[in-house]
Amino acid sequence: DGGITQSPKYLFRKEGQNVTLSCEQNLNHDAMYWYRQDPGQGLRLIYYSQIVNDFQKGDIAEGYSVSREKKESFPLTVTSAQKNPTAFYLCASSIDSGQGIYEQYFGPGTRLTVT
Amino acid sequence: ILNVEQSPQSLHVQEGDSTNFTCSFPSSNFYALHWYRWETAKSPEALFVMTLNGDEKKKGRISATLNTKEGYSYLYIKGSQPEDSATYLCAPSRGGGNKLTFGTGTQLKVEL
C-alpha cells in the first residue's frame, strides 16, 4: 500500500535533548512538508522540500532542522533551541496533479511531549 | 503569514440536519483553495481543491463553492450523518501553489 508513515506515534523527551521525527513516503512524491499543530491553532508549516537536497523554511522554522537526502524521507529534528517543542507534528507529501495544483497527503502524526 | 479564518469554530447538529461552514482568506495572489476532512485518530484527507471563481465541487452529500473575488468558500453537508463528524480544514495556496496556509478548522459533531 502506498502512503506516508511517521514514527513513533508518541515520543517523550527531556528538555534540552534534540529529537528526530521520522517521515517516509512511498508515493513517489517530489514535495514533502512538516507541520505543527497546537490546541486552538491551525496547522503551521515548519519546513518544506520541493525536491531532493533542497528545502525551505516555513512560517515557524526556528528551533527545527530538516534534511532531504532521499526522495522518500524527510526527517525533522526538534532542537533544544525550540522553546515550546511539545506539540503534534504532521508530515505530508504532494505531487503536482496538474496546472500547479498540489494535493497534500498526510501521515498519521507524531505527538511529542518534552518535559 | 496569510490570515485564514474559519467559522464557526465548532458545530453540533442532529443526524439529518444540513449544515454549512465558511472559510475566509485574502483574495490577493490567490491560486487555489483546498478543503480537508480530519477525523479523530486519522490523517487529514483531501475533499476538494478549487481554483476558479464560481467553482462548485460535490462529493456525495458534501459540496463546496468558491468566491475568489471576495475571498471566501462555503462547505455544505446535506443530511449530516454521524460519520461526517470531523474537523474540516480549509487551506488557500498562493503564488506557486504548493504552499498551503491552513485555517483553524470547524469541528463538526453529528449526534443521533
Side-chain angles (χ1 to χ4, degrees):
Chain A
D1 284 335
I4 301 175
T5 56
Q6 290 185 245
S7 60
K9 191 171 181 178
Y10 298 96
L11 192 54
F12 298 88
R13 280 294 182 271
K14 295 288 187 188
E15 196 173 324
Q17 293 179 335
N18 290 355
V19 59
T20 297
L21 280 59
S22 164
C23 178
E24 304 278 330
Q25 54 102 357
N26 60 4
L27 299 168
N28 200 33
H29 287 174
D30 290 315
M32 296 187 74
Y33 313 79
W34 274 105
Y35 293 92
R36 166 183 174 138
Q37 191 202 28
D38 296 281
Q41 300 206 38
L43 298 177
R44 292 185 290 166
L45 183 64
I46 304 172
Y47 267 99
Y48 65 107
S49 166
Q50 298 187 74
I51 199 164
V52 174
N53 292 322
D54 184 59
F55 48 82
Q56 287 82 41
K57 292 181 179 180
D59 299 317
I60 55 164
E62 187 175 345
Y64 299 98
S65 66
V66 293
S67 62
R68 186 88 188 276
E69 296 176 4
K70 298 187 297 182
K71 189 175 187 178
E72 303 79 23
S73 179
F74 190 39
L76 173 76
T77 297
V78 184
T79 75
S80 56
Q82 168 49 234
K83 296 190 188 318
N84 295 296
T86 295
F88 185 69
Y89 291 87
L90 269 174
C91 178
S93 69
S94 71
I95 195 165
D96 187 353
S97 57
Q99 299 176 330
I101 304 299
Y102 290 78
E103 185 175 292
Q104 293 189 12
Y105 295 77
F106 287 86
T110 292
R111 186 166 296 280
L112 173 65
T113 301
V114 177
T115 55
Chain B
I1 296 177
L2 212 60
N3 185 29
V4 181
E5 296 185 358
Q6 289 189 247
S7 63
Q9 193 172 9
S10 66
L11 196 54
H12 285 229
V13 301
Q14 297 296 311
E15 184 180 9
D17 288 348
S18 294
T19 186
N20 65 86
F21 336 127
T22 305
C23 171
S24 301
F25 51 88
S27 55
S28 61
N29 206 27
F30 172 85
Y31 199 85
L33 191 283
H34 300 245
W35 279 100
Y36 285 84
R37 174 168 61 196
W38 193 358
E39 294 178 68
T40 302
K42 294 186 177 180
S43 308
E45 61 173 2
L47 282 173
F48 306 113
V49 56
M50 297 179 287
T51 57
L52 300 176
N53 186 45
D55 253 358
E56 291 189 31
K57 292 283 177 93
K58 188 174 181 180
K59 185 183 285 189
R61 294 178 290 97
I62 304 177
S63 60
T65 61
L66 178 65
N67 183 321
T68 61
K69 294 184 178 179
E70 296 182 41
Y72 64 84
S73 174
Y74 293 137
L75 187 82
Y76 301 91
I77 301 179
K78 185 178 178 182
S80 303
Q81 300 297 309
E83 58 264 30
D84 295 328
S85 297
T87 296
Y88 292 82
L89 303 171
C90 72
S93 62
R94 10 165 195 156
N98 70 344
K99 194 175 164 187
L100 305 182
T101 300
F102 284 85
T104 53
T106 292
Q107 189 174 21
L108 173 68
K109 185 166 175 62
V110 183
E111 296 166 342
L112 294 169

